[in-house]
């Protein structure tokens, strides 16, 4: 570093020491981040530059909720407005909503990282995991009971 670079660095530190303006910092940072767009039912949506905290918090809440208003609020943080009603009126299925959410979340985190086809695969994998879990649990329990009985019998013979 040259003396001029060091002087400029020291000046920046002096300015920063007085007041940290995160509004300005995040606005500047946000303007430079790439943003993914998607079109659905004739409307183009621009995804936020990063996943909103409100979306994450509402996602936790919606998991245990059957209230459509919770889903509406969650979707509004990503797409704006009353998209749930608009999409439902167009006949969107729960699978399609899941695929759109998978695509959106991945591409908000890293634009261009997931295609629509890959989002559908990820949704199918997640959906299959939910359906298979109870059967697997039942199989594990049955398997454990058989082992316990066998172990008990072999122990009685000794």
């Amino acid at each position: 570093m040259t003396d001029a670079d060091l002087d400029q660095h020291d000046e920046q530190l002096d300015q920063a020491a007085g007041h940290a303006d995160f509004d300005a910092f995040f606005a500047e940072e946000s303007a430079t981040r790439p943003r993914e767009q998607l079109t659905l039912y004739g409307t183009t949506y621009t995804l936020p530059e990063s996943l909103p905290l409100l979306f994450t918090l509402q996602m936790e809440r919606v998991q245990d909720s059957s209230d459509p208003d919770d889903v509406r609020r969650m979707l509004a943080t990503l797409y704006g407005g009353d998209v749930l009603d608009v999409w439902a009126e167009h006949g969107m299925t729960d699978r399609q909503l899941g695929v759109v959410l998978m695509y959106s979340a991945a591409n908000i985190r890293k634009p261009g990282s997931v295609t629509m086809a890959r989002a559908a695969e990820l949704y199918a994998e997640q959906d299959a995991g939910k359906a298979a879990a109870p059967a697997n649990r039942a199989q594990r329990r049955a398997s454990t009971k058989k082992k316990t009985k066998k172990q008990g019998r072999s122990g009685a013979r000794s």
Side-chain angles (χ1 to χ4, degrees), residues 57 77 87 154:
L57 295 172
T77 62
W87 294 352
S154 64

Side-chain angles (χ1 to χ4, degrees), residues 2-77:
T2 66
D3 287 339
D5 291 336
L6 288 173
D7 289 342
Q8 183 181 7
H9 179 71
D10 289 343
E11 186 177 317
Q12 289 172 344
L13 287 176
D14 288 343
Q15 290 172 353
H19 178 78
D21 186 349
F22 276 99
D23 292 335
F25 174 75
F26 290 145
E28 182 179 323
E29 185 183 58
S30 172
T32 62
R33 291 185 55 128
R35 297 173 77 177
E36 194 77 19
Q37 289 188 328
L38 61 95
T39 301
L40 185 59
Y41 304 118
T43 302
T44 300
Y45 301 94
T46 301
L47 298 174
E49 78 281 349
S50 59
L51 206 56
L53 180 58
L54 186 57
F55 176 83
T56 306
L57 295 172
Q58 288 172 331
M59 192 67 171
E60 291 293 321
R61 181 177 178 196
V62 168
Q63 288 179 3
D64 298 324
S65 174
S66 58
D67 185 353
D69 286 335
D70 289 338
V71 178
R72 275 185 193 89
R73 282 189 290 275
M74 178 190 72
L75 293 176
T77 62

